[in-house]
Amino acid sequence: MAPIESSYSTPKWWKEAVVYQIYPASFQCQPGIKSGWGTVKGITSRLDYLKSLGVDVVWSSPILKSPQADMGYDIADYKQIDEHYGTLEDVDELIAELKKRDMKLMMDLVVNHTSNEHPWFLESRAAVDNPKRDWYIWKKPKSVSPEGVPEPPNNWAQILGEANSAWTYDDKTGEFYLSLFTPEQPDLNWENPEVRAAVWDAMHFWMARGACGFRMDVINLISKVPGYPDADIVLGPGHRYQPGVKYFVNGPKLHDYLQEMYHEVLSKYDTITVGEMPGVSDEREVLRSVSADSGELRMIFIFDLVDIDKPNVRMALKPWDVKEMKSIISRWQRIMIENDGWNSVFIENHDNPRSVSRYTDDSDEWREKGAKLLALMQTTLGGTLFVYQGEEIGMRNAPTNWDISEFKDIETINYWKKCEQLYANDKEKLAYGRKIIDMKARDHARTPMQWTAGENAGFCDPGTKPWMRVMDDNQTVNVEAQVKADDANEDSVWRFWQGALKRRKDHADAFVYGDYQELSPDHPEVFAYVRTGSNGDRWLLTLNFSKRELEWTMPQGLKVESWVCGNYTKDAPNKPKQTSVLLRPWEGLLGKCE
């Protein structure tokens, strides 16, 4: 259990909240709009749906003014809405309608970088003596070749295209600016107090407007190691640039900046905050940000689970197994309980493939069972739960027969361009590159939401071309069918999620705040654990992460009083209550213990 002096189990609204992430371009287009993009009014039109699911907080990926080089993560104005999505008045209406339903809006704060079309950057690049020059990170070339080609200041690779430099040359002023993600996303210089003050001002603007807090995009990249040293050589032959993560992930002043943010902004409101912090798994470093007395953030997104198949760069593969998955989850459950921290619970977002395709089996035979298995797991883990749009109906990855032109994400485009350049005469390596796209492209999470079996899946008007292709399986995988589903024997994926979210709230003492004990950690396929509330209630979770039938032996002394639910039947499962349990492929069970 948590230490006596711990505040881990102290109830807070943001701990118990169910947060639903919306990718606004793909969620819901409003009638009459021919752009094929989702809109803010489209979001507002679906609030009753979200409320009925069990959602408390809506987090939308960026809707602010942007040239859309990286789908809104390149912001050109922190106080204006992009015309694709609507107007400030539309957002005011959204906040008001959320409030009527006792729901809240969390904004996406993108302040490691801006768009290269932001007025701040336009001034910065105008001249070396411009007052805003040091709002961004400018460096002279490392050298200039005999042919007159300037060399970047170091060998850091671009994050969304590792074949390219993280530095972009500006012909007008003869210097490079740091752009870790793409040339269209120049990094802000957080060393400059004027930059930080401008960020605080933008945060106050949205809190005053009625937002409840922020998801903070790559917030642990805002502090860079002075001197900008060359990165170690970790990629194979043919890679001129290398991942520089050790020099900009959780840099030397990160915690100074986050504590200043808390003092200047966050401490003045009752907020929910979650920091996106890729590349960090050291528990001491994580706890510096999320322990109850850190004075920084409520929680962060820990990437260990969604990076389970990542070697040095995201668009690559490495093998993993169920034991590794279990150990990651159990490690962070225990760390937060024992150190008065707080977890975020998630396995999907806009930057990762669909979880049913990644962790289970998305075939027609097993997709529903796998989606429910993952729902049962997530809704019984400690921390604040994040659900990504479409996850609640078991949406899956795009099929492997899609033409590469259907993929719209800049990371996918850059990666495929690199593959074609490096492996033009190697069909085997090109095929492997395509396999990586089919398994890991961010596009898989960005296909339009499947509301109906009709044209465009109900995402936009018939006859309107959506910005991205609608999945072909919307005939069978859609909200309308699953909400109406009334099978006597089995719940739809959506109804299973709805019931699981209600159960989580009804038993928050155990599932949100309770103790966590893993069982059978060495079992290669079964993930089993017990959640215990302060009132003594104990719950057993038994999850078969395999496509084979197997028998799981309960630890001695553990007895189930009643099996409450499973992902095979609508009614309570009829299973043995002690000694051993026969688990079917991808079967998950929840039991109340004696």
Side-chain angles (χ1 to χ4, degrees):
M1 298 289 287
I4 298 298
E5 68 277 7
S6 171
S7 62
Y8 180 85
S9 58
T10 302
K12 297 287 184 182
W13 72 266
W14 49 267
K15 292 180 177 180
E16 298 177 33
V18 173
V19 183
Y20 186 94
Q21 184 192 355
I22 284 174
Y23 197 66
S26 298
F27 188 65
Q28 180 67 73
C29 186
Q30 68 198 74
I33 297 294
K34 299 301 181 183
S35 67
W37 281 62
T39 61
V40 173
K41 282 186 174 293
I43 296 172
T44 304
S45 74
R46 294 293 185 178
L47 293 185
D48 288 338
Y49 163 79
L50 296 175
K51 181 69 175 178
S52 68
L53 178 62
V55 172
D56 303 297
V57 175
V58 170
W59 151 35
S60 174
S61 287
I63 52 176
L64 303 181
K65 185 177 179 181
S66 167
Q68 304 296 329
D70 185 22
M71 293 303 293
Y73 284 92
D74 50 320
I75 291 174
D77 191 324
Y78 288 103
K79 298 181 181 180
Q80 291 296 325
I81 303 303
D82 192 79
E83 60 182 10
H84 283 97
Y85 300 122
T87 65
L88 270 176
E89 289 71 28
D90 293 340
V91 178
D92 290 340
E93 179 190 26
L94 171 61
I95 293 171
E97 291 297 320
L98 283 163
K99 187 175 181 180
K100 288 179 184 177
R101 295 163 175 82
D102 196 26
M103 298 165 73
K104 304 174 190 293
L105 177 67
M106 182 166 72
M107 297 294 289
D108 208 318
L109 185 72
V110 187
V111 289
N112 173 71
H113 48 264
T114 69
S115 165
N116 63 345
E117 295 184 22
H118 196 294
W120 299 346
F121 187 72
L122 295 179
E123 283 192 56
S124 184
R125 79 185 310 175
V128 293
D129 59 354
N130 188 280
K132 281 193 168 57
R133 184 68 171 183
D134 66 349
W135 279 47
Y136 295 84
I137 300 168
W138 292 91
K139 298 293 177 186
K140 296 182 185 308
K142 190 173 191 177
S143 62
V144 178
S145 72
E147 294 76 26
V149 178
E151 286 291 314
N154 64 27
N155 69 345
W156 295 358
Q158 188 185 113
I159 291 174
L160 296 185
E162 71 267 12
N164 307 311
S165 172
W167 298 86
T168 303
Y169 187 68
D170 179 60
D171 288 316
K172 181 177 179 181
T173 59
E175 292 186 345
F176 285 89
Y177 61 87
L178 184 62
S179 48
L180 287 177
F181 286 86
T182 69
E184 293 80 18
Q185 295 166 287
D187 283 53
L188 284 162
N189 177 19
W190 275 69
E191 297 271 357
N192 187 333
E194 292 181 0
V195 168
R196 302 198 299 275
V199 170
W200 312 156
D201 177 65
M203 294 174 73
H204 279 300
F205 175 86
W206 284 107
M207 292 304 298
R209 213 163 191 101
C212 70
F214 303 95
R215 175 266 185 184
M216 302 182 186
D217 186 65
V218 293
I219 197 65
N220 63 327
L221 272 54
I222 58 177
S223 173
K224 281 76 172 176
V225 171
Y228 303 88
D230 274 341
D232 298 335
I233 308 299
V234 296
L235 300 180
H239 289 85
R240 181 180 179 189
Y241 303 109
Q242 303 292 324
V245 290
K246 68 186 287 187
Y247 299 117
F248 54 73
V249 168
N250 282 56
K253 294 186 178 179
L254 171 66
H255 298 289
D256 293 339
Y257 297 152
L258 291 180
Q259 287 166 16
E260 184 180 331
M261 176 190 287
Y262 184 82
H263 180 267
E264 295 295 330
V265 184
L266 300 176
S267 63
K268 305 180 189 308
Y269 308 93
D270 184 17
T271 60
I272 181 172
T273 54
V274 55
E276 183 193 29
M277 291 198 178
V280 180
S281 60
D282 179 86
E283 63 185 78
R284 291 168 299 180
E285 186 63 18
V286 169
L287 289 166
R288 288 182 69 183
S289 290
V290 303
S291 62
D293 60 356
S294 70
E296 294 188 10
L297 303 174
R298 304 295 198 196
M299 69 199 94
I300 71 168
F301 288 134
I302 296 168
F303 277 67
D304 291 3
L305 187 56
V306 294
D307 281 349
I308 196 168
D309 56 3
K310 173 186 172 182
N312 295 315
V313 293
R314 208 188 74 80
M315 292 300 281
L317 292 169
K318 78 173 181 66
W320 63 276
D321 58 30
V322 175
K323 285 177 68 174
E324 182 182 1
M325 181 194 75
K326 297 191 302 180
S327 68
I328 290 169
I329 295 170
S330 294
R331 177 187 177 220
W332 287 109
Q333 288 288 299
R334 292 304 318 164
I335 284 172
M336 296 305 176
I337 290 171
E338 294 169 6
N339 295 278
D340 202 7
W342 196 252
N343 270 309
S344 62
V345 178
F346 77 105
I347 55 173
E348 271 194 36
N349 60 28
H350 63 290
D351 282 337
N352 283 281
R354 289 293 183 178
S355 57
V356 72
S357 301
R358 190 178 208 176
Y359 302 106
T360 66
D361 182 340
D362 69 359
S363 66
D364 288 342
E365 181 180 8
W366 298 116
R367 179 191 62 83
E368 290 192 9
K369 299 294 190 297
K372 294 177 189 178
L373 181 80
L374 294 170
L376 187 56
M377 179 184 77
Q378 291 181 89
T379 54
T380 55
L381 290 173
T384 301
L385 178 60
F386 290 76
V387 184
Y388 181 69
Q389 68 178 49
E391 185 178 1
E392 77 275 22
I393 59 170
M395 285 181 66
R396 54 189 157 193
N397 283 359
T400 57
N401 62 1
W402 274 18
D403 188 80
I404 197 68
S405 64
E406 302 287 0
F407 292 83
K408 307 299 183 185
D409 178 37
I410 191 167
E411 181 183 44
T412 309
I413 293 167
N414 285 340
Y415 175 74
W416 187 244
K417 188 183 300 182
K418 183 192 84 168
C419 289
E420 289 185 315
Q421 291 171 348
L422 291 178
Y423 313 128
N425 300 313
D426 192 328
K427 289 185 177 180
E428 189 174 321
K429 287 187 176 178
L430 264 182
Y432 185 69
R434 176 57 198 256
K435 177 184 177 181
I436 290 173
I437 289 173
D438 288 335
M439 293 180 69
K440 296 192 70 173
R442 302 192 301 181
D443 305 78
H444 296 301
R446 303 179 180 189
T447 58
M449 183 69 176
Q450 294 167 205
W451 297 104
T452 71
E455 184 180 345
N456 292 331
F459 163 68
C460 58
D461 288 345
T464 297
K465 183 178 180 180
W467 77 274
M468 187 177 182
R469 179 174 172 176
V470 172
M471 287 275 287
D472 307 319
D473 66 358
N474 77 292
Q475 296 293 314
T476 54
V477 183
N478 65 76
V479 168
E480 186 175 59
Q482 293 195 24
V483 169
K484 289 180 179 178
D486 191 24
D487 189 296
N489 299 314
E490 189 173 354
D491 276 332
S492 66
V493 176
W494 188 89
R495 287 200 172 274
F496 190 87
W497 263 104
Q498 183 190 45
L501 291 175
K502 183 180 186 303
R503 190 182 308 112
R504 177 179 178 84
K505 292 178 179 183
D506 289 345
H507 301 283
D509 184 67
F511 296 140
V512 177
Y513 301 112
D515 193 35
Y516 170 95
Q517 178 191 2
E518 184 182 359
L519 308 176
S520 308
D522 293 327
H523 197 291
E525 292 155 325
V526 173
F527 185 19
Y529 51 93
V530 171
R531 302 302 314 278
T532 305
S534 61
N535 61 2
D537 285 351
R538 300 174 72 220
W539 300 81
L540 170 66
L541 278 298
T542 309
L543 312 169
N544 178 11
F545 274 88
S546 78
K547 59 175 65 178
R548 72 183 186 92
E549 187 174 86
L550 53 82
E551 193 169 41
W552 178 70
T553 302
M554 295 186 192
Q556 190 173 6
L558 182 67
K559 294 182 181 180
V560 174
E561 178 182 292
S562 61
W563 291 108
V564 176
C565 82
N567 62 341
Y568 266 74
T569 62
K570 180 182 291 188
D571 298 327
N574 182 18
K575 296 281 186 177
K577 295 178 180 178
Q578 58 184 345
T579 65
S580 64
V581 180
L582 186 68
L583 296 171
R584 289 166 287 188
W586 307 110
E587 185 168 20
L589 300 171
L590 171 65
K592 182 78 178 295
C593 298
E594 290 185 358

